[in-house]
Amino acid sequence: MKLYNTLTHQIEEFVPQNPDEVKIYTCGPTVYSYAHIGNFTSYTYWDLLIRVLRLNGYQEKRILNITDVGHLTSDADDGEDKMEKGARREGKTVWEVAQMYMDDFLENFHNLGLIEPAAICRATDFIEADKRLVEALDKAGYLYDTTDGLYFDTSKFPKYAEFARLDLENLRAGARVEFSDEKRNASDFVVWKWIRDGEDHAMQWEYRGRMGYPGWHLECSTIIHEQLGEPIDIHCGGVDHIPVHHTNEIAQSEGAFGKQMSKFWLHNNFITIDGQKISKSLGNVYYFSDLAEKGYSPMDYKMWLYQGHYQAERDFSFEQLAAAHARLMNYRNFAALRWQEIEKSDFAAERDEIMECLNSNLNSAGAFAVLDGVAKSGLAPSNEFLKFVDDAFGLEIGKTTPDISDELKQKIFERSAAKESKEYATADQLRDEILEQGIELLDSADGVKWALRIKNRVC
Ligand code: AMP
Ligand code: ZN
């Protein structure tokens, strides 16, 4: 299995440390507002990764975090706290806001049919462990105190710029001087924020006799240390995490524990909508509820995402979504052939080809090209093949095929018999009854074909 590793900037053979417990960490959402379809790009692509690992015989231990503290509106250390901002907007407490958007996130996660992680960890449940990490960093000489908080001195971590190939000279030149003259280097970042006199901040904990709260990057280093242990096998996130968030995670974890943080780093690219960045001001922020209003399911969105590659920037439009929907319905119709008197196939060669694509850095688009050929073959899929397809993509291609009851089968048989004996009225009535139950019978030159009907669409 080959994956592109951001750490080495190349495609590498993936070999886990322990095949029975592949340690994976995914940076999760900040729960201060509803997540839009772009936010789910990452979790959906990483679900494919988990599925492909499993098909290769590995078992994963995967942790996802929920950021409910410390993330400022800029990914650096200035701006407003996102949770406080959400609370003010909603007239709720930060804790209520966190719960509400976490519930919404998990509902969408579930509706997308994504595999549950071993644990979903809330940042605020790890405050004591955060403090221990801060102590370890301080002891190792990486921290300095300012009126704003305890900062990580990046000049003390010589390979700081390596991961993201940062140009520190330029970073220094472009730094905003007004930010803090206490900051020693432009790339230094806060690991623990102090609450200033008169500052209104609902989430705060006592540390070293003062009140404060963790910097945004800290939770990932802490949770990985507590839940998985370094080095982990794969760390995943969006491309926007490379220059700041993941760079800082590496400095913290490797600085504190003296071990490599993760062997592989995978990053998904962004989606644009009609060629533009997703943003409220452009009015192009779509949620799954917007897709549902137009008759599309989370699975249609997943199909659309997987038609492209996780490293490619993709442009979303409703025309594209319609095409993805049609393709998915075509696969489901193909899956329905298994209920008919048609020769079944395991498609063993094609299955190998699909695996080969997926093992080549998750080339899902290539895998679908093979599946298109399979769907056109005129053969029906065996249950084993459909299970493989659903295990690989999680698109419920075989699962949505109705397990046709004996009663319904009997009706289909009776309708054929009625037609044969030219009792057309009876045949038509039976056909309508069968349609009520979601199966459309299509008469053709080579016999009767069945088609699934879902939500009034012929699929
Ligand atoms: P935000 O709520 O805008 O801070 O986004 C949270 C995370 O969602 C970001 O760190 C990105 O990794 C991801 N994200 C946001 N917008 C997109 C997008 N258009 N496509 C893919 N991922 C996105
Ligand atoms: Zn993270």
Side-chain angles (χ1 to χ4, degrees):
M1 177 174 184
K2 289 191 163 58
L3 296 170
Y4 181 85
N5 189 353
T6 306
L7 188 64
T8 56
H9 308 280
Q10 60 189 10
I11 291 183
E12 284 179 51
E13 185 67 31
F14 174 72
V15 184
Q17 303 169 91
N18 174 0
D20 297 327
E21 198 185 89
V22 182
K23 297 194 274 187
I24 304 182
Y25 183 84
T26 312
C27 291
T30 304
V31 283
Y32 71 109
S33 65
Y34 289 114
H36 56 67
I37 59 170
N39 297 128
F40 278 91
T41 309
S42 168
Y43 315 110
T44 311
Y45 278 127
W46 307 136
D47 194 66
L48 182 65
L49 169 71
I50 302 292
R51 290 172 181 278
V52 176
L53 285 167
R54 287 186 176 187
L55 287 173
N56 278 284
Y58 303 135
Q59 189 54 52
E60 84 290 346
K61 179 175 182 191
R62 179 191 182 202
I63 306 292
L64 174 74
N65 71 308
I66 301 278
T67 300
D68 57 0
V69 65
H71 195 173
L72 305 188
T73 43
S74 127
D75 279 358
D77 303 316
D78 48 355
E80 214 179 342
D81 184 300
K82 289 191 179 189
M83 298 303 303
E84 301 277 336
K85 193 176 164 185
R88 241 190 331 277
R89 185 187 60 225
E90 312 282 339
K92 292 189 159 76
T93 70
V94 278
W95 302 100
E96 286 166 345
V97 167
Q99 191 62 52
M100 174 168 127
Y101 293 118
M102 186 169 110
D103 290 347
D104 177 70
F105 172 80
L106 295 176
E107 191 183 323
N108 283 316
F109 196 93
H110 175 79
N111 291 342
L112 276 160
L114 307 181
I115 293 172
E116 288 281 317
I120 296 178
C121 299
R122 283 177 74 151
T124 47
D125 288 334
F126 287 80
I127 301 296
E128 289 309 312
D130 280 343
K131 293 180 192 170
R132 290 197 291 275
L133 205 154
V134 176
E135 285 300 313
L137 283 173
D138 204 13
K139 220 166 134 198
Y142 286 106
L143 304 186
Y144 60 94
D145 202 357
T146 73
T147 40
D148 186 53
L150 293 167
Y151 272 74
F152 189 105
D153 185 340
T154 53
S155 69
K156 298 213 167 124
F157 189 72
K159 58 175 215 177
Y160 183 79
E162 264 175 38
F163 181 68
R165 295 182 168 168
L166 296 176
D167 179 351
L168 292 182
E169 285 304 321
N170 269 331
L171 205 62
R172 208 163 290 136
R176 290 202 274 145
V177 263
E178 82 270 17
F179 175 52
S180 166
D181 40 10
E182 290 177 86
K183 215 166 136 172
R184 293 182 188 164
N185 310 288
S187 52
D188 291 357
F189 59 93
V190 77
V191 297
W192 189 267
K193 275 260 202 197
W194 300 126
I195 306 270
R196 296 170 194 231
D197 284 344
E199 189 186 341
D200 186 19
H201 199 274
M203 287 180 169
Q204 45 177 291
W205 292 268
E206 192 275 333
Y207 180 51
R208 297 189 180 182
R210 293 177 67 178
M211 299 310 282
Y213 60 97
W216 172 41
H217 319 293
L218 195 64
E219 64 187 72
C220 293
S221 289
T222 297
I223 294 170
I224 284 177
H225 186 65
E226 296 290 312
Q227 298 281 308
L228 296 167
E230 304 79 11
I232 62 169
D233 293 287
I234 306 176
H235 193 131
C236 328
V239 279
D240 58 317
H241 290 143
I242 299 172
V244 179
H245 183 54
H246 287 170
T247 289
N248 292 350
E249 280 187 26
I250 291 172
Q252 287 171 158
S253 289
E254 303 194 359
F257 308 118
K259 277 194 200 165
Q260 187 181 34
M261 186 183 203
S262 178
K263 295 193 168 282
F264 273 72
W265 289 81
L266 265 58
H267 293 98
N268 63 281
N269 213 321
F270 267 42
I271 68 161
T272 54
I273 295 190
D274 295 324
Q276 294 184 293
K277 191 175 177 278
I278 299 181
S279 90
K280 285 223 165 71
S281 56
L282 292 172
N284 65 354
V285 183
Y286 295 126
Y287 302 93
F288 285 108
S289 52
D290 297 316
L291 270 46
E293 255 173 42
K294 294 186 192 255
Y296 297 107
S297 71
M299 289 295 159
D300 294 329
Y301 179 70
K302 190 195 258 188
M303 179 74 219
W304 174 75
L305 273 182
Y306 289 176
Q307 289 189 131
H309 192 253
Y310 74 91
Q311 288 182 284
E313 191 178 284
R314 310 264 332 281
D315 190 42
F316 174 90
S317 66
F318 279 99
E319 290 79 61
Q320 292 251 342
L321 187 62
H325 170 85
R327 196 174 189 185
L328 183 55
M329 288 302 133
N330 183 43
Y331 293 155
R332 288 183 177 160
N333 233 6
F334 158 69
L337 290 176
R338 80 168 139 155
W339 302 108
Q340 305 192 35
E341 300 298 316
I342 296 176
E343 191 191 337
K344 309 282 184 296
S345 173
D346 282 333
F347 297 106
E350 290 85 350
R351 183 188 158 127
D352 287 350
E353 280 176 54
I354 289 173
M355 274 313 292
E356 209 173 294
C357 289
L358 294 174
N359 280 338
S360 305
N361 195 23
L362 309 179
N363 176 8
S364 45
F368 286 131
V370 179
L371 198 56
D372 286 340
V374 166
K376 271 203 302 228
S377 69
L379 298 175
S382 65
N383 288 341
E384 287 68 27
F385 181 73
L386 286 180
K387 182 177 181 311
F388 162 73
V389 170
D390 279 339
D391 285 349
F393 305 109
L395 285 165
E396 299 183 349
I397 288 170
K399 225 170 103 184
T400 47
T401 307
D403 199 348
I404 297 175
S405 63
D406 286 345
E407 192 196 347
L408 197 54
K409 279 187 197 142
Q410 180 61 27
K411 264 196 187 155
I412 293 170
F413 175 78
E414 281 170 18
R415 189 247 172 196
S416 289
K419 248 191 99 196
E420 225 146 83
S421 48
K422 302 195 190 318
E423 296 163 36
Y424 294 117
T426 313
D428 285 351
Q429 196 198 328
L430 284 166
R431 177 185 166 132
D432 289 348
E433 284 176 28
I434 293 161
L435 185 58
E436 288 272 290
Q437 299 193 42
I439 302 288
E440 185 176 22
L441 299 178
L442 306 165
D443 298 312
S444 74
D446 25 305
V448 183
K449 293 236 170 196
W450 310 353
L452 280 179
R453 264 185 182 255
I454 297 174
K455 282 197 214 145
N456 296 326
R457 284 176 202 271
V458 180
C459 11

